[in-house]
Amino acid sequence: MDRKIMGIVAVIGVILSAVLALATVDGAGVSPDEALARLKEGNAHFLAEAPTHRNRDMARREVTARQGQFPLAMILSCSDSRVPVEILFDQGVGDIFSVRTAGNVSGVMQLGSLEYGAEHLGARLLVVLGHSKCGAVTAVAKNAKEPGNIPAAVAPIVPVVKAVRDAHPGASDDDVAGMAAIQNVFQVIADIYAGSPVLRGMARSGRIKVVGAFYHIESGKVDWLGPHPEEARLVADGAS
Ligand SMILES: [Zn+2]
């Protein structure tokens, strides 16, 4: 091999290593457990008031604009303005594929978005994030008469609240809402598996990991709830 070709090979090697290094910094190739560890670490930074502000500068914007996105994780969370996922997990531009709805519920639009994040963007961790003092869950618990499209938007929460109320007959509306907000996380995970054969298959094969989490707006802490307790049954071949 002459020196010119060796030189070219060396340059290609340097470029490849730079791309791989960048991919490692990004979410590409990151395992679900590693992604989970990074989110846990990020919330610890937020709690300690010591955010890194990583990936929030113009350089990061420029790199992701040029090279595309390789998000670390997908997070389905509530639209509540007190639950800003990038901030409370100390993440930045291009890190989180974020889907948000009132009550962090999942219908066909959200399923399609999550399938895109998993299949096309390669995110391997999906976090369903509920939170305390959730207005959507509270509205259902108080049986509030809402106008317009709101009843349809929160309809998936109705059976969750009913189950909690049946199990705790004497509980106040606020207590029911608090318990239902946590239970709703698992209901949403079950709804995702039931509604998306794509995500169900990816979970079954280990391509993605789906976990629940719960954000306490009173403290800033995220509790990790783990996978759905009946995950094996819910992701089984042919389940729906
Ligand atoms: Zn909420």
Side-chain angles (χ1 to χ4, degrees), residues 41-56 86-92:
E41 189 181 36
N43 183 238
H45 294 160
F46 175 66
L47 274 172
E49 292 194 272
T52 61
H53 294 301
R54 185 179 152 273
N55 290 347
R56 294 193 182 184
E86 276 86 355
I87 295 174
L88 62 93
F89 289 115
D90 191 25
Q91 300 295 317

Side-chain angles (χ1 to χ4, degrees), residues 78-80 82-83 101-104 131-137:
C78 184
S79 302
D80 194 307
R82 299 166 295 179
V83 190
T101 58
N104 42 273
H131 71 101
S132 59
K133 296 187 180 294
C134 182
V137 178

Side-chain angles (χ1 to χ4, degrees), residues 5 12 19 25 39 46 52 56 63 67 74 83 85 89 108 117 121 126 133-134 142 158-160 167 181 198 208 215:
I5 293 176
I12 290 172
V19 168
V25 170
L39 294 183
F46 175 66
T52 61
R56 294 193 182 184
V63 165
Q67 302 197 342
M74 303 181 283
V83 190
V85 288
F89 289 115
V108 67
L121 305 180
L126 167 56
K133 296 187 180 294
C134 182
K142 291 183 183 300
V158 172
V160 180
V198 170
I208 62 167
Y215 177 59

Side-chain angles (χ1 to χ4, degrees), residues 40-204:
K40 287 179 178 176
E41 189 181 36
N43 183 238
H45 294 160
F46 175 66
L47 274 172
E49 292 194 272
T52 61
H53 294 301
R54 185 179 152 273
N55 290 347
R56 294 193 182 184
D57 55 10
M58 285 295 118
R60 174 65 169 177
R61 178 199 54 73
E62 199 277 327
V63 165
T64 52
R66 187 160 32 85
Q67 302 197 342
Q69 55 170 325
F70 303 92
L72 183 66
M74 303 181 283
I75 301 182
L76 171 57
S77 60
C78 184
S79 302
D80 194 307
S81 59
R82 299 166 295 179
V83 190
V85 288
E86 276 86 355
I87 295 174
L88 62 93
F89 289 115
D90 191 25
Q91 300 295 317
V93 174
D95 289 331
I96 304 294
F97 188 80
S98 186
V99 179
R100 299 180 68 169
T101 58
N104 42 273
V105 295
S106 180
V108 67
M109 311 281 269
Q110 291 71 41
L111 290 174
S113 297
L114 295 172
E115 288 173 6
Y116 182 84
E119 281 208 316
H120 292 275
L121 305 180
R124 297 189 58 199
L125 176 68
L126 167 56
V127 178
V128 175
L129 181 68
H131 71 101
S132 59
K133 296 187 180 294
C134 182
V137 178
T138 302
V140 174
K142 291 183 183 300
N143 202 20
K145 298 295 171 232
E146 304 286 357
N149 290 298
I150 298 175
V154 300
I157 304 172
V158 172
V160 180
V161 165
K162 183 178 183 313
V164 170
R165 200 178 287 290
D166 288 349
H168 304 272
S172 69
D173 288 349
D174 284 336
D175 286 346
V176 167
M179 290 183 273
I182 295 173
Q183 200 50 46
N184 186 46
V185 169
F186 290 116
Q187 182 60 53
V188 171
I189 293 176
D191 290 345
I192 288 170
Y193 287 143
S196 172
V198 170
L199 295 171
R200 194 165 73 231
M202 293 177 91
R204 187 168 60 243

